[in-house]
């Protein structure tokens, strides 16, 4: 489900203490036991660096960092370092906490509940599952399982469960209520009632079911209507039942039934039968959610594969010598396709154009825009042979064709040999990730710089010049390197990259040491976003 540009709220349904939080696009939310986490959940079942919630390509994702006890989405365990798409209404479980994803400000007006806790004319009892001895109930339960198995959506599942519960229990009204908060707030999924009267729900029963126990409420009709307060007795309800519905070990919703007035008495074994229906309904919902997650994951995997393939087929060889340049490179896919670009374009007179860039956003759209921009830039470099003119043309091309807010940073340089030096005319269009590597040191290349392409279609780009000695190297990289986060949520940043390659002696070593340092920082080889490092020097 897409949530382009919109924040999402994770409402705490249960846990040792309230922990609701809001996630906004552009900021990764780190969840864990560590005090530095954006959402700190202090419990032994939560790992120090447990999971993160992140917005990429118009969708929300949860990524488990390899936590000890796992992260669960709708009762399904999230695979380590594999993004799982979050849709509104999903349940996210981390340790003993359960959260529901909802739109910010999108509170649902739920059905009415009444506080019947103080009434002296009813009692709430805990009941266990009792054996179903009646052949009729066994048949009804079998029929219910068949209906649940064939239902294609949650509404149909709820309807089948309610119908079966009413038929086998003697209750006259039934509903499936979805849990909405840490208190007694509920949302009506579906209901069936024989009259048009108000359908209200007992808070004491909902509170009991929230603990995972089925509760039955009865009213002694011989005692009359009771207190004048608005209560179950006022509504002439003589029996009510609320059974918890579990999803992956957490109470997700409730099966609620009641009978009132002159309606028939509830069957003696109603509680056990309705509890069985609630459990069957919970298993059916869990199966449906699992299939939905599998479908989302299959779509995500298909999109990532297509995007990575678009990147792979356009990449130069990892290392080699082309024209005046000896180089080494690595473009490593991240958890999310980020649209990194790397290209080398041979030009007349022994010159060589090198392009490194990064399209804003993530996913297939970014990868496709990257491929489109790269192809057009390639043609412009061959036709014009000048960095400023080529970037000016590709900027107009991208600005006219990309979606609003979509742009790309770009570094384009044209290299040629001049005596014992390597000359380069370059345009830095909002990229800024370029280091000059000299023996024993590395420093940022200072330049006037330009704005990223795709923002202003009328922008004219101008090139700058740089000279490299025979021992100098130019190291280009993408923001996936310096923005990679560590276990405590801190970014790798440019200074760590400078320190990592300060003592390196070759383009190949530059690339190897850069990625080794990033992996050491994040504690593994899985990077959040695509990451690129290219090191260039004058060929021997």
């Amino acid at each position: 489900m897409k949530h382009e540009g919109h924040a999402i709220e994770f409402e705490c349904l249960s846990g040792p203490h309230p922990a609701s939080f809001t996630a906004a696009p552009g900021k990764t939310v780190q969840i864990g036991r560590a005090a530095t986490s954006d959402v700190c959940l202090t419990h032994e079942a939560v790992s120090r660096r447990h999971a993160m919630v992140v917005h990429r390509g118009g969708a929300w994702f949860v990524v488990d960092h390899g936590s000890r006890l796992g992260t669960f989405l709708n009762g399904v365990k999230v695979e380590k370092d594999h993004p799982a798409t979050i849709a509104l209404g999903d349940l996210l479980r981390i340790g003993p906490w359960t959260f529901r994803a909802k739109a910010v400000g999108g509170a649902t007006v739920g059905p009415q509940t009444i506080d019947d806790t103080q009434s002296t004319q009813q009692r709430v009892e805990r009941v266990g599952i009792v054996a179903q001895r009646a052949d009729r109930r066994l048949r009804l339960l079998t029929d219910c399982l068949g209906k649940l198995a064939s239902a294609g959506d949650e509404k149909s599942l709820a309807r089948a469960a309610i119908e079966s519960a009413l038929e086998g229990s003697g209750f006259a009204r039934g509903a499936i209520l979805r849990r909405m908060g840490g208190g007694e707030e509920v949302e009506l999924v579906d209901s069936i009632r024989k009259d048009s009267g108000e359908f209200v729900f007992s808070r004491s029963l909902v509170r009991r079911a929230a603990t995972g126990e089925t509760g039955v409420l009865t009213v002694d009709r011989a005692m009359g209507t009771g207190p004048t307060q608005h209560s179950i007795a006022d509504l002439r309800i003589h029996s009510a039942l609320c059974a918890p519905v579990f999803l992956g070990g957490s109470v997700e919703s409730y099966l609620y039934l009641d009978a009132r007035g002159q309606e028939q008495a509830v069957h003696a074994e109603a509680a056990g039968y309705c509890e069985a229906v609630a459990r069957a309904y919970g298993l059916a919902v869990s199966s449906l959610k699992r299939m939905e997650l599998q479908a989302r994951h299959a779509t995500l995997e298909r999109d990532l594969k297509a995007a990575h393939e678009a990147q792979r087929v356009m990449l130069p060889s990892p290392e080699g010598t082309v024209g005046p340049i000896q180089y080494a490179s690595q473009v490593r896919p991240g958890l999310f396709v980020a649209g990194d670009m790397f290209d080398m374009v041979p030009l007349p007179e022994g010159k060589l154009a090198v392009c490194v860039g990064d399209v804003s956003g993530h996913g297939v759209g970014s990868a496709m825009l990257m491929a489109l921009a790269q192809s057009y830039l390639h043609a412009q470099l061959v036709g014009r042979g000048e960095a400023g003119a080529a970037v000016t043309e590709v900027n107009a091309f991208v600005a006219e064709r990309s979606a609003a807010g979509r742009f790309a940073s770009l570094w384009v340089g044209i290299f040629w040999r001049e005596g014992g030096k390597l000359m380069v005319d370059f345009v830095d269009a909002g990229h800024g990730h370029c280091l000059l590597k000299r023996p024993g040191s590395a420093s940022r290349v200072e330049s006037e710089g330009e704005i990223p392409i795709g923002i202003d279609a009328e922008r004219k780009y101008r090139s700058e010049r740089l000279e490299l000695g025979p021992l100098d190297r130019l190291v280009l990289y993408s923001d996936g390197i310096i923005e990679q986060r560590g276990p405590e949520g801190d970014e790798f940043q440019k200074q760590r990259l400078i320190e990592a390659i300060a003592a390196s002696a070759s383009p190949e070593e530059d690339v190897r040491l850069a990625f080794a340092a990033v992996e050491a920082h994040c504690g593994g080889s899985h990077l959040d976003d695509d990451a690129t490092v290219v090191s260039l020097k004058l060929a021997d």
Side-chain angles (χ1 to χ4, degrees):
M1 179 178 291
K2 300 294 182 182
H3 311 284
E4 192 80 52
H6 295 293
I8 188 171
E9 181 181 349
F10 289 85
E11 180 185 37
C12 182
L13 298 183
S14 62
H17 59 76
S20 298
F21 65 95
T22 299
K27 185 180 186 304
T28 298
V29 178
Q30 296 288 344
I31 305 170
R33 196 175 72 249
T36 54
S37 302
D38 299 307
V39 179
C40 182
L41 303 177
T42 52
H43 192 276
E44 60 183 8
V46 179
S47 298
R48 285 181 55 78
R49 184 171 182 261
H50 198 104
M52 69 175 179
V53 172
V54 61
H55 184 267
R56 292 289 188 271
W60 286 98
F61 300 88
V62 60
V63 181
D64 183 82
H65 291 313
S67 58
R68 184 170 60 88
L69 297 180
T71 301
F72 296 83
L73 190 62
N74 292 331
V76 180
K77 189 173 183 179
V78 175
E79 189 176 349
K80 175 188 174 184
D81 292 328
H82 280 66
T85 310
I86 300 173
L88 296 182
D90 283 354
L91 293 180
L92 176 65
R93 180 158 60 87
I94 295 176
W97 279 270
T98 298
F99 305 90
R100 186 187 297 281
K102 56 182 284 189
V104 174
T108 302
V109 178
Q112 182 183 1
T113 61
I114 60 174
D115 187 1
D116 57 322
T117 306
Q118 302 303 319
S119 174
T120 60
Q121 294 181 284
Q122 64 259 3
R123 62 185 184 278
V124 177
E125 304 168 335
R126 180 188 175 192
V127 297
I129 297 179
V130 298
Q132 304 303 305
R133 296 187 295 267
D135 290 342
R136 180 171 176 272
R137 282 207 179 90
L138 288 175
R139 176 176 56 79
L140 288 174
L141 188 57
T142 300
D143 290 344
C144 176
L145 293 174
K147 291 178 181 178
L148 292 174
S150 61
D153 55 61
E154 195 167 351
K155 188 87 170 180
S156 299
L157 289 173
R159 175 66 48 148
I162 297 168
E163 289 176 346
S164 179
L166 293 179
E167 190 172 358
S169 67
F171 285 107
R173 274 162 302 280
I176 294 292
L177 305 176
R178 181 181 291 118
R179 193 174 184 184
M180 293 302 295
E184 294 93 33
E185 297 84 4
V186 293
E187 177 187 21
L188 186 64
V189 177
D190 197 9
S191 67
I192 298 175
R193 55 186 185 270
K194 298 177 181 178
D195 56 29
S196 58
E198 185 180 20
F199 201 165
V200 297
F201 306 95
S202 161
R203 291 182 191 173
S204 56
L205 282 184
V206 170
R207 190 179 300 119
R208 168 69 73 182
T211 68
E213 299 176 351
T214 299
V216 171
L217 180 148
T218 59
V219 176
D220 187 354
R221 282 178 285 184
M223 295 179 67
T225 58
T228 57
Q229 67 182 44
H230 187 52
S231 67
I232 289 289
D234 292 329
L235 296 171
R236 302 177 63 208
I237 294 174
H238 58 76
S239 302
L241 177 147
C242 189
V245 175
F246 290 91
L247 188 65
S250 299
V251 177
E252 190 268 349
S253 54
Y254 313 106
L255 172 62
Y256 190 100
L257 305 110
D258 73 26
R260 65 182 69 180
Q262 300 304 312
E263 293 164 0
Q264 65 181 349
V266 175
H267 302 161
E269 293 181 352
Y273 175 75
C274 292
E275 207 168 34
V277 171
R279 293 194 179 212
Y281 170 73
L283 291 173
V285 171
S286 180
S287 178
L288 182 65
K289 296 288 188 182
R290 182 176 289 103
M291 289 188 292
E292 290 175 352
L293 285 178
Q294 289 172 347
R296 289 187 218 164
H297 186 69
T299 299
L300 178 63
E301 288 291 317
R302 183 173 63 252
D303 289 349
L304 291 176
K305 183 177 180 180
H308 286 314
E309 183 64 17
Q311 291 178 315
R312 187 189 65 80
V313 298
M314 303 185 76
L315 286 176
S317 299
E319 57 186 58
T321 299
V322 181
I325 285 177
Q326 177 187 343
Y327 75 97
S329 67
Q330 185 175 162
V331 179
R332 182 179 296 183
L335 295 176
F336 304 97
V337 177
D340 276 12
M341 174 196 300
F342 170 46
D343 198 9
M344 306 184 80
V345 185
L347 301 175
E349 302 178 359
K351 293 183 177 181
L352 178 72
V354 176
C355 317
V356 175
D358 184 6
V359 177
S360 66
H362 302 79
V364 177
S366 295
M368 294 301 106
L369 180 58
M370 175 275 296
L372 185 67
Q374 184 172 337
S375 298
Y376 194 77
L377 178 60
H378 188 113
Q380 290 298 315
L381 287 168
V382 171
R384 296 176 178 274
E386 199 275 313
V391 175
T392 297
E393 290 299 319
V394 77
N395 168 66
F397 179 81
V398 170
E400 293 170 0
R401 290 164 175 80
S402 64
R406 186 65 61 85
F407 57 88
S409 68
L410 192 63
W411 191 97
V412 178
I414 295 181
F415 295 79
W416 72 94
R417 184 190 294 269
E418 193 171 284
K421 295 182 178 180
L422 185 63
M423 311 296 293
V424 55
D425 283 347
F426 70 95
V427 173
D428 190 333
H431 193 69
H433 303 319
C434 180
L435 299 177
L436 178 58
K437 177 70 182 70
R438 290 193 162 119
S441 69
S443 61
R444 182 180 183 273
V445 172
E446 299 295 334
S447 68
E448 295 181 8
E450 294 275 5
I451 64 172
I453 65 171
I455 297 175
D456 179 5
E458 304 299 321
R459 186 81 174 191
K460 305 297 181 184
Y461 290 81
R462 300 175 299 170
S463 61
E464 303 176 62
R465 179 162 294 183
L466 183 66
E467 295 183 5
L468 301 178
L471 298 180
D472 296 339
R473 297 192 297 279
L474 206 61
V475 180
L476 304 163
Y477 56 96
S478 67
D479 57 13
I481 292 289
I482 60 173
E483 293 179 0
Q484 174 61 45
R485 293 181 179 272
E488 303 301 324
D490 56 322
E491 293 185 346
F492 183 69
Q493 297 189 339
K494 185 179 299 181
Q495 186 57 39
R496 286 190 177 95
L497 176 60
I498 290 175
E499 294 171 358
I501 66 173
S504 62
S506 67
E508 295 79 10
E509 197 171 10
D510 287 339
V511 173
R512 180 178 61 80
L513 291 176
F515 275 99
V518 172
E519 290 175 7
H521 176 72
C522 70
S525 60
H526 291 280
L527 306 184
D528 294 343
D529 290 332
D530 287 2
T532 298
V533 177
V534 180
S535 180
L536 313 153
K537 68 180 289 288
L538 181 67
D540 297 332

